[in-house]
Amino acid sequence: MEKKPWSNWRHITKLDPDKPLSREDILRVAESGTDAIMISGTQNVTMEKVNRLVSVLRDCQIPKIIEPSGPGHVTYNGIDYVFVPSVINARDTTWVTGKHVQWIKNSVIEWEKVVSEAYLILNPNSAVGRITRSKTNLSMEEILAYATLADRYFKFPIFYIEYSGTYGNSDVVKAVKGNLKNSTLFYGGGITDGEKAREMSSHADTIIVGNLLYEQGVEKLKETIDAIR
Amino acid sequence: MEKKPWSNWRHITKLDPDKPLSREDILRVAESGTDAIMISGTQNVTMEKVNRLVSVLRDCQIPKIIEPSGPGHVTYNGIDYVFVPSVINARDTTWVTGKHVQWIKNSVIEWEKVVSEAYLILNPNSAVGRITRSKTNLSMEEILAYATLADRYFKFPIFYIEYSGTYGNSDVVKAVKGNLKNSTLFYGGGITDGEKAREMSSHADTIIVGNLLYEQGVEKLKETIDAIR
């Protein structure tokens, strides 16, 4: 199997188009040592807010990803990848196949930039957990079954464990990593310091840090990067 | 991409474990010239009924596939492939991911035999249409979007248009074929004579014939094979 660039990334910073961040801070994130910037939000995302981030980052060399929350929030200009999630434990097919069909029907897609992600949402109280009505009350066995389904049946290039806003169970992340044959394992949720970054990074291929930047600033974000180098 | 054996098959005969067929007729199907036998049913399937077919076919050289309707109906012994469907236009995630998770959780899977199929169900009145509550009232544009989703986003090796029991719209099959980049196109439903076999076979990579065998016998099945050679 061809080696994908993102499989070498250890740390991604998520920028939420709906949260305020100064131009200077955006540029500092791009220079922070994080491996890629993912533009991604769950609520109140508009193309105008997405375009502002893309525009500020235009001249930065760092890989730039859009991870759309809906069919209307995709752009390709100035963007290296579009990571498109399918929520593998959603109760409602809207988040597995439904929005995807609307997106395909209504736009011209640059497929060479598109990467499919299987999301496993494990925090029922997060915005994304509530919106997708995900089955989060899962045994370890069921979590591993979802991971195998994504990895061996659907062959998703990326399996993303999302604890969104809370710090997850590192035993779960470790067990999932041991179960995956091909998918790259992303972990996101509650990484608020270097120690947590180091712990999750010891199991997942890639950790995603987002809220911390908005809550504690770029210097604290850097702590999570330094901790895993 | 590696060339898959099933991408050369033009004609598959579906045997329903729940429908009566004599040992002699089963063996005549195996010698009929059909490219493969798929053991597949929607209702009242039991492991005992599946095993009877597998047992009768044991010494036949023809490729044998199981296409399970549920997690409990899989066997690997004497079987070349297990084609596992995901109903891409189902309203209920049970038929997209749900049964699959149960299957993975409760069994030891021979993954090297497993092939993933995206089913698009287009007959709302069929057993499979009712059970999966599929969205069958689709415009051509939506059908093509589902095909692209299966082909480019999920990268299913097989895209299966299932009109189950009724003869489909050959313009739909033709348009879908024109839209697929990688998936092999299967067509099933209402092939009751050589002319219909020829028409659908001129668009789909592979046609699947099932009911005809039970309604009109092996000789009539052979007509659909001869028609496409």
Side-chain angles (χ1 to χ4, degrees), chain A residues 84-86 88 90-91 93 96-97 100-101 104-105 111 116-117 141-142 145-146 148-149 152-154 156, chain B residues 84-86 88 90-91 93 96-97 100-101 104-105 111 116-117 141-142 145-146 148-149 152-154 156:
Chain A
V84 179
S86 180
I88 199 161
R91 278 194 180 81
T93 53
V96 187
T97 55
H100 311 67
V101 166
I104 292 170
K105 208 177 69 160
W111 282 104
S116 318
E117 294 176 306
E141 235 190 332
E142 286 168 323
Y146 274 111
T148 300
L149 179 66
R152 307 294 298 270
Y153 179 81
F154 287 111
F156 276 101
Chain B
V84 180
S86 180
I88 200 161
R91 279 194 180 78
T93 53
V96 187
T97 55
H100 311 68
V101 166
I104 292 170
K105 208 179 68 160
W111 282 104
S116 318
E117 293 176 308
E141 235 189 332
E142 286 167 324
Y146 274 112
T148 299
L149 180 65
R152 308 293 298 268
Y153 179 81
F154 286 111
F156 276 100

Side-chain angles (χ1 to χ4, degrees), chain B residues 4-216:
Chain B
K4 303 295 186 184
W6 65 84
S7 63
N8 293 322
W9 298 343
R10 303 298 320 279
H11 186 286
I12 297 176
T13 302
K14 224 176 220 192
L15 297 187
D16 186 336
D18 190 42
K19 291 182 181 165
L21 197 66
S22 70
R23 182 187 161 82
E24 290 66 37
D25 274 353
I26 296 170
L27 294 173
R28 286 175 69 208
V29 171
E31 299 295 323
S32 66
T34 191
D35 292 310
I37 288 180
M38 191 186 275
I39 299 173
S40 170
T42 303
Q43 289 174 310
N44 307 315
V45 177
T46 65
M47 209 59 240
E48 194 186 347
K49 294 175 187 170
V50 170
N51 283 335
R52 183 206 164 222
L53 290 174
V54 175
S55 160
V56 172
L57 290 166
R58 179 148 304 153
D59 298 327
C60 302
Q61 291 298 311
I62 191 164
K64 291 170 280 284
I65 308 148
I66 285 196
E67 190 188 52
S69 57
H73 307 143
V74 186
T75 184
Y76 301 94
N77 205 353
I79 289 295
D80 300 281
Y81 297 101
V82 179
F83 281 12
V84 180
S86 180
V87 180
I88 200 161
N89 63 327
R91 279 194 180 78
D92 186 337
T93 53
T94 302
W95 306 94
V96 187
T97 55
K99 288 193 175 278
H100 311 68
V101 166
Q102 294 308 312
W103 168 56
I104 292 170
K105 208 179 68 160
N106 295 315
S107 56
V108 176
I109 296 173
E110 297 186 15
W111 282 104
E112 65 284 3
K113 292 188 178 177
V114 173
V115 180
S116 318
E117 293 176 308
Y119 257 68
L120 187 76
I121 311 275
L122 290 176
N123 176 2
N125 301 317
S126 60
V128 66
R130 286 194 311 271
I131 290 171
T132 61
R133 299 197 307 121
S134 288
K135 298 177 196 173
T136 56
N137 186 19
L138 300 174
S139 65
M140 178 71 96
E141 235 189 332
E142 286 167 324
I143 290 172
L144 294 178
Y146 274 112
T148 299
L149 180 65
D151 181 47
R152 308 293 298 268
Y153 179 81
F154 286 111
K155 300 186 167 67
F156 276 100
I158 294 168
F159 187 73
Y160 193 137
I161 298 181
E162 176 60 285
Y163 276 93
S164 190
T166 53
Y167 188 65
N169 181 340
S170 69
D171 290 339
V172 163
V173 180
K174 183 179 182 178
V176 167
K177 176 62 187 170
N179 224 41
L180 296 175
K181 300 270 181 190
N182 295 302
S183 308
T184 297
L185 178 59
F186 281 18
Y187 169 83
I191 294 181
T192 50
D193 57 35
E195 196 179 333
K196 291 194 173 94
R198 201 180 300 114
E199 182 179 40
M200 285 305 183
S201 193
S202 74
H203 306 308
D205 296 302
T206 312
I207 59 170
I208 288 88
V209 180
N211 291 345
L212 177 65
L213 168 68
Y214 295 95
E215 288 160 7
Q216 301 198 52

Side-chain angles (χ1 to χ4, degrees), chain A:
Chain A
M1 196 177 278
E2 191 192 339
K3 187 84 176 162
K4 302 296 186 183
W6 65 85
S7 62
N8 293 321
W9 298 343
R10 305 296 323 278
H11 186 286
I12 297 175
T13 302
K14 224 176 219 192
L15 297 187
D16 186 336
D18 191 42
K19 291 181 182 167
L21 196 66
S22 70
R23 182 186 163 82
E24 289 65 37
D25 274 353
I26 296 170
L27 294 173
R28 285 174 70 209
V29 170
E31 298 296 322
S32 66
T34 190
D35 292 311
I37 288 179
M38 190 187 275
I39 299 172
S40 171
T42 303
Q43 290 174 308
N44 306 316
V45 177
T46 64
M47 209 58 241
E48 192 185 351
K49 293 175 188 171
V50 169
N51 282 335
R52 184 208 163 220
L53 290 174
V54 174
S55 160
V56 173
L57 289 166
R58 178 148 305 153
D59 297 327
C60 302
Q61 290 298 310
I62 192 164
K64 291 169 279 282
I65 308 149
I66 285 195
E67 190 188 52
S69 57
H73 307 144
V74 185
T75 184
Y76 302 94
N77 205 352
I79 288 296
D80 299 280
Y81 297 102
V82 179
F83 281 13
V84 179
S86 180
V87 180
I88 199 161
N89 63 328
R91 278 194 180 81
D92 186 336
T93 53
T94 302
W95 305 95
V96 187
T97 55
K99 288 193 176 277
H100 311 67
V101 166
Q102 294 310 312
W103 168 55
I104 292 170
K105 208 177 69 160
N106 295 315
S107 56
V108 176
I109 296 173
E110 297 185 16
W111 282 104
E112 66 284 2
K113 292 189 177 177
V114 173
V115 180
S116 318
E117 294 176 306
Y119 257 68
L120 187 75
I121 310 275
L122 291 176
N123 175 4
N125 301 317
S126 60
V128 67
R130 286 194 311 270
I131 290 172
T132 61
R133 297 196 309 120
S134 289
K135 298 176 195 173
T136 55
N137 186 19
L138 301 173
S139 66
M140 178 73 95
E141 235 190 332
E142 286 168 323
I143 289 172
L144 294 179
Y146 274 111
T148 300
L149 179 66
D151 182 45
R152 307 294 298 270
Y153 179 81
F154 287 111
K155 300 187 167 67
F156 276 101
I158 294 169
F159 187 73
Y160 192 136
I161 298 180
E162 176 60 285
Y163 276 94
S164 191
T166 53
Y167 188 64
N169 181 338
S170 69
D171 290 339
V172 163
V173 180
K174 184 179 182 177
V176 167
K177 175 62 188 171
N179 224 41
L180 296 175
K181 300 269 181 190
N182 294 304
S183 307
T184 297
L185 179 59
F186 282 17
Y187 169 83
I191 295 181
T192 49
D193 57 35
E195 196 180 332
K196 291 193 173 93
R198 201 181 298 114
E199 182 179 40
M200 285 306 182
S201 193
S202 74
H203 305 309
D205 296 304
T206 312
I207 59 170
I208 289 87
V209 181
N211 291 346
L212 177 65
L213 169 67
Y214 296 96
E215 289 161 6
Q216 300 198 52
V218 182
E219 284 310 308
K220 194 73 181 173
L221 174 76
K222 281 187 184 167
E223 182 186 312
T224 66
I225 299 163
D226 296 341
I228 66 168
R229 300 301 182 194

